[in-house]
Amino acid sequence: MNTQSPKRPHLVVLSGAGMSAESGLSTFRDSDGLWAGHDVQEVASIEGWYRDPQCVLDFYNQRRREFVGADPNEGHRLLSRLEDYYRVTIVTQNVDDLHERAGSSRVIHLHGELMKNRSVRDPYTTYPVTPDTSALHVGDMAPDGSQLRPFIVWFGEEVPNMIPAIEATEGADLFVVIGTSLEVYPAAALLGYTRRDCPVFLIDPKPVHSTYRPDLIQIQKGASEGVRELCHRLRQTKEWG
Ligand code: OAD
């Protein structure tokens, strides 16, 4: 394929925690996942924040400590290389930056970014995490004079990036779901915005279903092996090769 062609197909990826599992980051709903040891309503909801902000900050301070040393895995790297052949948009529920660090150039974060902070007053202005603002405490103030918090979309909050994510999905020629249980909305509803003639692949070691696209093609493998297999299948399919 001519990599300069303006007609490159648009490949949209929806990734979840399983995408980063092989980089050593925990998923949420697996038996050893984060929600097995924490109450999601306490540590990742706006109500939890109002009840006990330091408990929420402690949870994300710990996530940041775990994040140090995590590197992109082969799955992330292969997805970035697909940009040689496709126009690729990654829509991720992950708050890590492993897609970007692997070289993907268009990444839409639905649930925020762990290594950024924001103030409680202004949801849109972000501040990169520095050694001084990596571990947050109640009383740490943003430049606007209000409490600093992680730039994370908690349960009970709006998901502003759904709009660009829906636009990308509606224009997708190929849609690939990787490492998500599809249990969290509105992210899971994105599949409902795919065109009927847009093939949907799903890479996950466990069977995952979508009522929006019961016809999805499952590659029942982990992220790295699964993306390798996807690349192989795409090369073999003339239309996409
Ligand atoms: P889940 O923990 O719900 O699902 C992770 C999925 O990854 C499961 O389907 C696993 O089978 C799969 N998985 C495990 N290991 C894998 C591997 N090596 N390769 C590929 N897949 C693997 O995580 P999410 O669906 O991402 O939101 O969760 C969605 C949202 O729920 C998160 O963004 C987070 C959470 O609460 C917030 O905190 C706002």
Side-chain angles (χ1 to χ4, degrees):
M1 177 179 288
N2 177 359
T3 59
Q4 301 306 314
S5 163
K7 288 193 183 149
R8 282 184 299 171
H10 190 191
L11 188 155
V12 177
V13 174
L14 171 64
S15 67
M19 182 79 230
S20 300
E22 290 159 25
S23 297
L25 300 178
S26 302
T27 60
F28 294 93
R29 292 173 185 78
D30 286 305
S31 55
D32 56 350
L34 283 169
W35 296 155
H38 294 92
D39 177 346
V40 51
Q41 290 305 325
E42 260 174 39
V43 299
S45 77
I46 189 67
E47 290 82 11
W49 170 257
Y50 290 139
R51 253 193 318 269
D52 187 347
Q54 191 57 55
C55 171
V56 176
L57 292 178
D58 288 342
F59 177 75
Y60 287 99
N61 291 344
Q62 178 61 28
R63 302 283 76 72
R64 284 175 179 168
R65 284 193 291 273
E66 285 168 8
F67 180 56
V68 174
D71 288 316
N73 61 54
E74 191 194 348
H76 294 106
R77 287 192 294 272
L78 287 172
L79 287 178
S80 81
R81 277 189 235 140
L82 282 173
E83 291 190 15
D84 291 344
Y85 308 97
Y86 298 89
R87 189 155 67 86
V88 180
T89 303
I90 311 266
V91 179
T92 187
Q93 297 166 86
N94 298 344
V95 298
D96 64 56
D97 62 357
L98 298 181
H99 283 298
E100 289 93 332
R101 280 169 49 205
S104 285
S105 57
R106 182 155 195 253
V107 184
I108 299 172
H109 285 272
L110 290 178
H111 295 162
E113 294 172 71
L114 184 63
M115 297 314 274
K116 292 182 181 170
N117 288 322
R118 54 161 274 203
S119 75
V120 293
R121 193 177 292 155
D122 176 0
Y124 301 109
T125 307
T126 61
Y127 308 98
V129 164
T130 65
D132 282 346
T133 59
S134 174
L136 287 177
H137 300 94
V138 171
D140 291 343
M141 295 302 172
D144 68 8
S146 70
Q147 173 69 43
L148 265 181
R149 54 166 273 189
F151 179 55
I152 301 286
V153 176
W154 289 322
F155 286 99
E157 295 191 301
E158 275 186 36
V159 184
N161 274 347
M162 269 306 278
I163 293 165
I166 289 170
E167 281 168 4
T169 303
E170 286 174 335
D173 299 303
L174 255 180
F175 195 85
V176 183
V177 182
I178 308 176
T180 170
S181 58
L182 293 178
E183 286 197 20
V184 171
Y185 289 79
L190 272 182
L191 277 88
Y193 291 89
T194 54
R195 289 196 323 256
R196 291 300 98 181
D197 64 344
C198 167
V200 177
F201 289 88
L202 185 139
I203 298 169
D204 199 295
K206 290 186 197 158
V208 177
H209 303 283
S210 166
T211 48
Y212 297 100
R213 290 301 301 259
D215 59 335
L216 55 77
I217 306 154
Q218 174 135 17
I219 299 176
Q220 209 168 326
K221 293 188 168 156
S224 296
E225 213 190 333
V227 179
R228 219 180 305 134
E229 159 102 23
L230 173 77
C231 294
H232 180 67
R233 289 201 198 183
L234 294 180
R235 268 196 306 271
Q236 288 196 327
T237 311
K238 227 176 167 191
E239 198 180 340
W240 304 109

